[in-house]
Amino acid sequence: MRCVFVQFRCQPGKTYAVADEIYDREVVSELYSTSGEYDLIAKVYIPEDADVGHWLNEKLFDIPGISRTLTTMTFRAF
């Protein structure tokens, strides 16, 4: 499995609805609310043979209330 972090900027007043929908889909390992430019950050494990962009689009990015995302790929855990 490949670990990526995805940050979500939500439309005003939609953060809790977006967070609930993300959890309902059961595809994230961890989900946190954050301060700063983004409202949520998720730790996601993607199958090694999957295309990251397609997988995220199919599993998460169609959730209503998301206005922007930022995906960070990981390479090694220390």
Side-chain angles (χ1 to χ4, degrees):
M1 299 291 264
R2 186 177 332 171
C3 178
V4 300
F5 290 89
V6 182
Q7 295 184 71
F8 299 89
R9 184 179 300 156
C10 304
Q11 296 169 353
K14 300 293 184 181
T15 302
Y16 287 101
V18 170
D20 288 342
E21 181 68 22
I22 290 170
Y23 261 127
D24 287 347
R25 294 182 181 204
E26 298 181 354
V27 295
V28 302
S29 171
E30 299 173 48
L31 180 65
Y32 298 95
S33 60
T34 59
S35 62
E37 291 186 41
Y38 291 85
D39 302 300
L40 301 166
I41 188 168
K43 185 177 186 181
V44 185
Y45 289 97
I46 298 174
E48 287 290 336
D49 61 341
D51 178 278
V52 173
H54 286 264
W55 195 94
L56 290 171
N57 272 328
E58 292 171 3
K59 304 291 186 183
L60 291 172
F61 291 167
D62 64 335
I63 294 173
I66 296 173
S67 60
R68 186 179 179 103
T69 63
L70 174 67
T71 302
T72 303
M73 304 288 292
T74 63
F75 301 105
R76 181 178 174 196
F78 293 94

